[in-house]
Amino acid sequence: MPSNKHALTAALEFLHEPKVLYDLGCGFGLSSLFFAKKMPPCKVIGVENALFPFLIAKLLSLFVPNLTIRFKNFLNFKPKDADAIYLYLCPSLMQKIDLTDFKNITVISNTFGFNATNPKHKKRLNDFYKSTLYVYSF
């Protein structure tokens, strides 16, 4: 399920000029594309492990110089150069992510939070689903 524009726009409030932002589980790359267009100095890297969505995202990235799409399993992926991470994943996948790799990184999660830790900020959105953004600093 793609992130809606309310969630993506609200996420921008918590992204303070990151140099590198990862979109883990980027799907068709629409959220990656949004961030790349809104923050041109930032290098945006979408990571997807399903072939068809990856191919669509890869096609979209061809026209955006600061957007890269990688075909990888983000559960085994260690984003050492990240300043920020955006994700919109189901709760079962959220719990499989190893948070020890996210030191000094702002992590923004759409709708679902991590059970293991409390967010630094929670923002309730005024969208159709009354979604919540969870913002973490590790």
Side-chain angles (χ1 to χ4, degrees):
M1 178 151 181
S3 295
N4 65 48
K5 192 168 184 173
H6 292 281
L8 296 173
T9 302
L12 289 174
E13 295 174 29
F14 300 102
L15 296 170
H16 304 290
E17 300 181 18
K19 292 182 176 105
V20 180
L21 177 138
Y22 280 84
D23 181 7
L24 300 184
C26 72
F28 296 114
L30 299 177
S31 52
S32 300
L33 184 64
F34 176 87
F35 291 127
K37 286 187 173 185
K38 291 292 184 181
M39 302 182 296
C42 178
K43 180 179 180 182
V44 178
I45 302 166
V47 182
E48 179 57 47
N49 69 343
L51 184 59
F52 182 68
F54 162 76
L55 292 173
I56 300 298
K58 189 70 172 172
L59 281 173
L60 289 174
S61 74
L62 295 176
F63 306 103
V64 184
N66 62 325
L67 176 58
T68 302
I69 305 295
R70 295 184 181 162
F71 186 64
K72 290 188 183 262
N73 181 348
F74 59 83
L75 294 176
N76 301 324
F77 187 61
K78 311 235 184 286
K80 296 183 189 309
D81 60 341
D83 297 307
I85 292 174
Y86 178 82
L87 37 89
Y88 184 14
L89 304 172
C90 65
S92 62
L93 287 177
M94 292 286 292
Q95 304 320 313
K96 292 180 181 179
I97 294 176
D98 183 3
L99 300 176
T100 59
D101 296 324
F102 292 173
K103 288 185 178 27
N104 301 317
I105 298 174
T106 298
V107 179
I108 301 173
S109 179
N110 185 352
T111 306
F112 305 107
F114 294 104
N115 286 343
T117 186
N118 291 325
K120 183 176 179 182
H121 301 284
K122 279 171 65 170
K123 180 169 181 141
R124 185 77 175 213
L125 304 178
N126 194 20
D127 62 357
F128 179 77
Y129 300 105
K130 301 295 181 207
S131 307
T132 301
L133 281 185
Y134 298 88
V135 182
Y136 301 89
S137 285
F138 298 103

